[in-house]
Amino acid sequence: MKSRSTIKGLMKRHPRLSQLVIVALCLVMWEVAARFFVDKMFLSPPSRVYGEIGRVLGTKGLTQALTLTLYEVSVAFVMAVAIGMIVGLSVGLNDFARRCFMPIILLLYGIPQIVILPLFILGLGIGPPSKIAFGVTHGIFPIILAIVAGVQGLKPVLLISARSMGASRWHILRYVVLPHMLPSFFSGMRLGMTGVLLGVLLAELYVSTAGIGYFTGLFTQNFDPTRLLGLISILAALAIALNEFMRMVERRFSRWRGND
Amino acid sequence: MSASPALTNKQDVCVHIQNVSHSFGVEGQPKHVRALLDTTMDIHRGELLALIGPSGCGKSTLLNVIGGILNPTTGTASVNGKSVDGPMPHDIAYVFQENALFPWNTIIENIRLGMLFQGVPKADHEGRAREALQAVGLSEFADHYPAQLSGGMRQRAALARALSLDTPVVLMDEPFGALDEQTRMVLGEDLSALLSRTGKTIIFVTHSLGEAVFLADRIAVFTARPGRIKEVIPVEEPHPRKASFMTSDKFNGLRNRLFDLLHDEIRKTVSLTSGSSGGF
Amino acid sequence: MSAPVKATLSADQHERRLSRLVQLGFVASLALLWYLATNVWGMSPLLLPKPQNAFEELLDILRSGEFWPDLLLTLGELAGAFAISMTLGLAIGFMVSLSPVFVRIFEPLLAGVYAVPIILFLPLYVLFFGLGASSKIALGATISFFPIVLNTIAGFISVDKLYVTAAKSMGASPTVLLRHVLIPGALPIILSGLRMGFTVALLSIIGSETIASLSGLGHRIVNLAESLEIARMFAYIVFVIAIAATLNSMVSRLEASRSLDK
Ligand SMILES: Nc1ncnc2c1ncn2[C@@H]1O[C@H](COP(=O)(O)OP(=O)(O)OP(=O)(O)O)[C@@H](O)[C@H]1O
Ligand SMILES: [Mg+2]
């Protein structure tokens, strides 16, 4: 009992450190499992995966595939934000439009888009366009929903009060609507980024003749878990970095909400 | 000029309200509400007019008409000789009943933003904002966000924003509603002093009888909905008023008079609502 | 009293009818566009089949009943995955929520992992579990675990401490507290976590069937795409979307009704 409570006390005082310890413990468990319990053909220890990241990146064509994926994600993200903004604003700013189209948008958002992936590939080929398009269709819905929600919640008295103080249309857009929307806009962007990543990666994994999907297929068939895990770790690190970045931006713009 | 505005400025009308009526919704529809009925009134320059009446009688509606936020169904309002058909940011500052501070801006940013909207040169913003904050006693909270202030502090901040706009007319909808009676009176004293200095015309809504008597030059008492002015009571007492006024017989006499007038009307609203079951 | 209510309703109904009309018009014009593109403007049937052909295929699929094995497999995988993730998610979420310290430490970790597109691990799961149902179940369980566990934590910590204190001061035992205060308070958020978990489980199972599989609805669609039987593929897509929409709306309705109970 005593020791438990001291551990808890430690955790309470050093939450960051405890998180690190937990992650480290997981890695150690993985290491032990990979070294002593699981067949080398299926799992390799993290130390080896880490040590051979260089070899993974050295695989012919893999860096190009990674760069291409990053490029697809960026283009898809920009497109999803642009289209999502336009659709979100035009649906969100008008009561009737919202009533008409929100159910349709929600319905579309709810369908498992993966079933139309083969169509994208048939229509746009196995190159970047199909992957970008699939990323866009995944990223766009959370962005639309966030913008619609963001536009909606504005208290009318703020608009009225701004107008009574002489605010022009531009003033209202710049100093009232925009700051009001920013937090939900950024959380929409973050969710949109998650969606874009999912869409692009799904398409990448689906196409097994080129890109990331080719390499995961190759490493799987060769029973080469070291390189497979290495590649997955690189992609996961990329995803975490992008997400953390979006969270930082989001926090920066919603400071005023805190402290209450 | 500050001594007794009600007497000296008889002919100098600042806000003129002529046969203003307002209804919400469409006649015959269930949501139709007659909020204000045929109201005519002159408010003189430098005068402080209090509006008092039962909840829902149309006080905010009248302020909105004067502030150019609401087009009355019939009748007209004019301010400084100009007929009102939209906000007049250079003539009128409005302190809303609801909290209308921008939550994403600090208090001082809120005040500066008001001046930016109104078109005050940038160079003047800082000085005037600090001055206004000083006037409401919020200097130390300049860099707080509205969410970090109490309800009463938020109201004072909104008041500071309105004062910083330096308009001849200020409309205040229950500006001290969230304040305790004591702070309310102290702020009222300050406001009375400020008024005698600046000669602003102020129309304010209050539910506090004492506040109305203590601050106002005249008090317009409204009937229950649809609101009409039932009676206008003059308070002939020069500004700035001292706290000692509050304990005078005159003060108590006026206060009791107000109470009698209001009591009947409030009875009406209360019984009205319970009678028509779910009018709200 | 009753007359005004009726009148407001009818005004509201009018709005609703109008928006329904616009929705119908929107869908109808899409259908018309599809028809025109394929029948009149001569779009290649390899990209877009004629709607009438796709419809015939759909009828054929439904009549022949050939979809049953695939459907049952997919639904079975879904049930397995969801059962696992629900059990683990609820249990772990509840345990974490027991102490603010645990919440501070584990919640960010779980949320951090959730930010990784877990579909990335699909190749790994295929390596471990092969191309059969178990890799789908494992992946579906992993992906749906996160929204469930995160919402379970959020649900329990959202219960106002005041209620807990009040209940305790009235002498509520831990079981009573859990049964009558914590669970009812947390339920709406937990239910929405379960709904999200269900949706992503379905998504990831069909997804992994599409990417790496030998059977199941997702695999069937890929097969048809590869053999360029586009009309039949379309019919299957419509079929799967209909199934998914039905399941999702069933779960949403369940969520809504349970939340309203409280
Ligand atoms: N936007 C609106 N739409 C419909 N009815 C309204 C609207 N605003 C006000 N009303 C109605 O008009 C009447 C008068 O409202 P108003 O806000 O002027 O009251 P008030 O005198 O300011 O009350 P309070 O003292 O409670 O603030 C109310 O009964 C209300 O039901
Ligand atoms: Mg009011």
Side-chain angles (χ1 to χ4, degrees), chain C residues 45-122:
Chain C
L46 282 185
L47 288 180
L48 197 64
K50 295 185 176 169
Q52 60 271 39
N53 295 355
F55 186 68
E56 262 166 40
E57 295 286 350
L58 183 61
L59 284 184
D60 183 60
I61 291 165
L62 293 178
R63 255 198 312 263
S64 68
E66 69 158 37
F67 63 87
W68 278 116
D70 287 324
L71 179 64
L72 288 179
L73 180 66
T74 302
L75 289 182
E77 290 165 350
L78 178 64
F82 191 64
I84 296 173
S85 61
M86 188 169 84
T87 317
L88 288 180
L90 290 177
I92 295 178
F94 175 67
M95 288 193 297
V96 170
S97 78
L98 285 177
S99 147
V101 180
F102 292 163
V103 174
R104 271 255 298 284
I105 291 171
F106 288 102
E107 204 264 357
L109 282 178
L110 290 166
V113 181
Y114 190 34
V116 182
I118 295 165
I119 192 77
L120 273 176
F121 299 117
L122 175 60

Side-chain angles (χ1 to χ4, degrees), chain B residues 207-278:
Chain B
H207 282 292
S208 155
L209 306 178
E211 186 176 288
V213 177
F214 184 70
L215 280 177
D217 293 307
R218 286 191 298 161
I219 304 164
V221 183
F222 277 74
T223 64
R225 194 182 59 224
R228 254 178 314 104
I229 293 176
K230 179 174 182 176
E231 198 163 325
V232 179
I233 301 175
V235 183
E236 273 145 2
E237 178 78 15
H239 286 283
R241 292 174 185 167
K242 295 277 170 324
S244 58
F245 174 50
M246 253 177 275
T247 48
S248 66
D249 289 342
K250 181 174 172 188
F251 183 92
N252 281 321
L254 285 165
R255 202 174 178 281
N256 291 342
R257 172 107 184 279
L258 268 183
F259 180 77
D260 288 339
L261 281 169
L262 273 175
H263 183 261
D264 300 345
E265 294 304 326
I266 291 176
R267 257 277 150 265
K268 263 188 235 164
T269 11
V270 177
S271 54
L272 212 103
T273 9
S274 56
S276 69
S277 94

Side-chain angles (χ1 to χ4, degrees), chain B residues 24 33 35 54-61 97 174 207 225:
Chain B
F24 291 99
V33 174
S55 177
C57 72
K59 304 178 298 289
S60 300
T61 306
Q97 184 168 5
E174 302 185 35
H207 282 292
R225 194 182 59 224

Side-chain angles (χ1 to χ4, degrees), chain A residues 6-258:
Chain A
T6 46
I7 286 176
K8 219 172 152 183
L10 269 175
M11 288 170 105
K12 189 170 182 170
R13 262 171 285 137
H14 309 285
R16 273 277 160 211
L17 190 69
S18 336
Q19 282 171 354
L20 282 178
V21 169
I22 289 164
V23 172
L25 272 178
C26 289
L27 286 174
V28 167
M29 270 158 60
W30 174 5
E31 182 86 30
V32 170
R35 278 188 190 274
F36 304 109
F37 298 102
V38 184
D39 192 329
K40 269 209 307 290
M41 303 245 285
F42 294 104
L43 191 65
S44 56
S47 56
R48 242 186 88 196
V49 172
Y50 180 75
E52 303 219 357
I53 287 274
R55 191 166 71 92
V56 175
L57 287 172
T59 311
K60 194 164 161 290
L62 194 137
T63 31
Q64 284 90 318
L66 277 174
T67 331
L68 195 63
T69 303
L70 205 58
Y71 161 79
E72 288 158 359
V73 168
S74 328
V75 176
F77 181 64
V78 171
M79 284 174 67
V81 170
I83 305 173
M85 280 266 278
I86 294 170
V87 176
L89 283 177
S90 38
V91 170
L93 285 174
N94 179 310
D95 256 359
F96 188 67
R98 197 172 57 236
R99 259 189 110 141
C100 292
F101 292 109
M102 271 321 273
I104 297 182
I105 290 171
L106 286 173
L107 197 78
L108 288 177
Y109 189 22
I111 67 173
Q113 289 187 35
I114 184 77
V115 296
I116 51 172
L117 178 54
L119 277 177
F120 277 66
I121 307 292
L122 280 174
L124 299 169
I126 60 165
S130 60
K131 293 157 188 172
I132 291 173
F134 206 56
V136 171
T137 59
H138 273 81
I140 196 167
F141 287 103
I143 296 178
I144 293 176
L145 294 191
I147 300 247
V148 170
V151 173
Q152 261 177 17
L154 185 57
K155 282 194 340 193
V157 72
L158 294 182
L159 285 175
I160 294 172
S161 129
R163 244 179 251 131
S164 83
M165 291 187 284
S168 62
R169 272 175 163 276
W170 159 248
H171 279 152
I172 287 184
L173 210 62
R174 165 69 186 78
Y175 294 104
V176 185
V177 177
L178 187 71
H180 168 76
M181 267 181 49
L182 273 186
S184 41
F185 174 71
F186 280 113
S187 69
M189 298 253 281
R190 183 167 54 81
L191 294 173
M193 175 58 90
T194 312
V196 165
L197 263 176
L198 177 67
V200 168
L201 287 174
L202 277 172
E204 281 283 354
L205 291 176
Y206 175 73
V207 176
S208 52
T209 49
I212 303 286
Y214 168 74
F215 290 102
T216 55
L218 184 73
F219 299 154
T220 311
Q221 277 153 27
N222 293 350
F223 290 100
D224 187 350
T226 311
R227 279 202 280 177
L228 182 59
L229 279 165
L231 178 57
I232 291 175
S233 311
I234 293 169
L235 288 165
L238 196 80
I240 291 178
L242 280 171
N243 190 61
E244 276 308 309
F245 173 72
M246 298 304 289
R247 259 162 99 109
M248 242 169 54
V249 179
E250 189 182 343
R251 256 201 306 273
R252 163 70 187 76
F253 283 97
S254 27
R255 262 188 322 197
W256 55 270
R257 279 194 173 165

Side-chain angles (χ1 to χ4, degrees), chain C residues 35-221:
Chain C
Y35 183 83
L36 288 176
T38 46
N39 287 277
V40 181
W41 303 328
M43 190 161 174
S44 159
L46 282 185
L47 288 180
L48 197 64
K50 295 185 176 169
Q52 60 271 39
N53 295 355
F55 186 68
E56 262 166 40
E57 295 286 350
L58 183 61
L59 284 184
D60 183 60
I61 291 165
L62 293 178
R63 255 198 312 263
S64 68
E66 69 158 37
F67 63 87
W68 278 116
D70 287 324
L71 179 64
L72 288 179
L73 180 66
T74 302
L75 289 182
E77 290 165 350
L78 178 64
F82 191 64
I84 296 173
S85 61
M86 188 169 84
T87 317
L88 288 180
L90 290 177
I92 295 178
F94 175 67
M95 288 193 297
V96 170
S97 78
L98 285 177
S99 147
V101 180
F102 292 163
V103 174
R104 271 255 298 284
I105 291 171
F106 288 102
E107 204 264 357
L109 282 178
L110 290 166
V113 181
Y114 190 34
V116 182
I118 295 165
I119 192 77
L120 273 176
F121 299 117
L122 175 60
L124 206 62
Y125 280 54
V126 171
L127 187 65
F128 289 163
F129 299 105
L131 289 170
S134 37
S135 64
K136 316 291 162 320
I137 294 174
L139 188 78
T142 312
I143 292 187
S144 56
F145 167 75
F146 288 94
I148 297 176
V149 74
L150 286 170
N151 274 47
T152 305
I153 296 174
F156 280 118
I157 61 177
S158 80
V159 178
D160 203 326
K161 288 287 158 294
L162 201 63
Y163 296 140
V164 179
T165 320
K168 271 186 189 155
S169 76
M170 291 184 278
S173 69
T175 10
V176 170
L177 195 68
L178 188 66
R179 169 84 184 70
H180 293 281
V181 181
L182 286 174
I183 289 181
L187 200 61
I189 299 181
I190 294 179
L191 282 175
S192 90
L194 288 172
R195 177 182 47 75
M196 281 156 65
F198 184 84
T199 312
V200 293
L202 179 61
L203 208 110
S204 55
I205 281 167
I206 297 180
S208 44
E209 282 176 355
T210 309
I211 292 171
S213 183
L214 301 171
S215 47
L217 289 170
H219 178 72
R220 170 75 70 169
I221 291 173

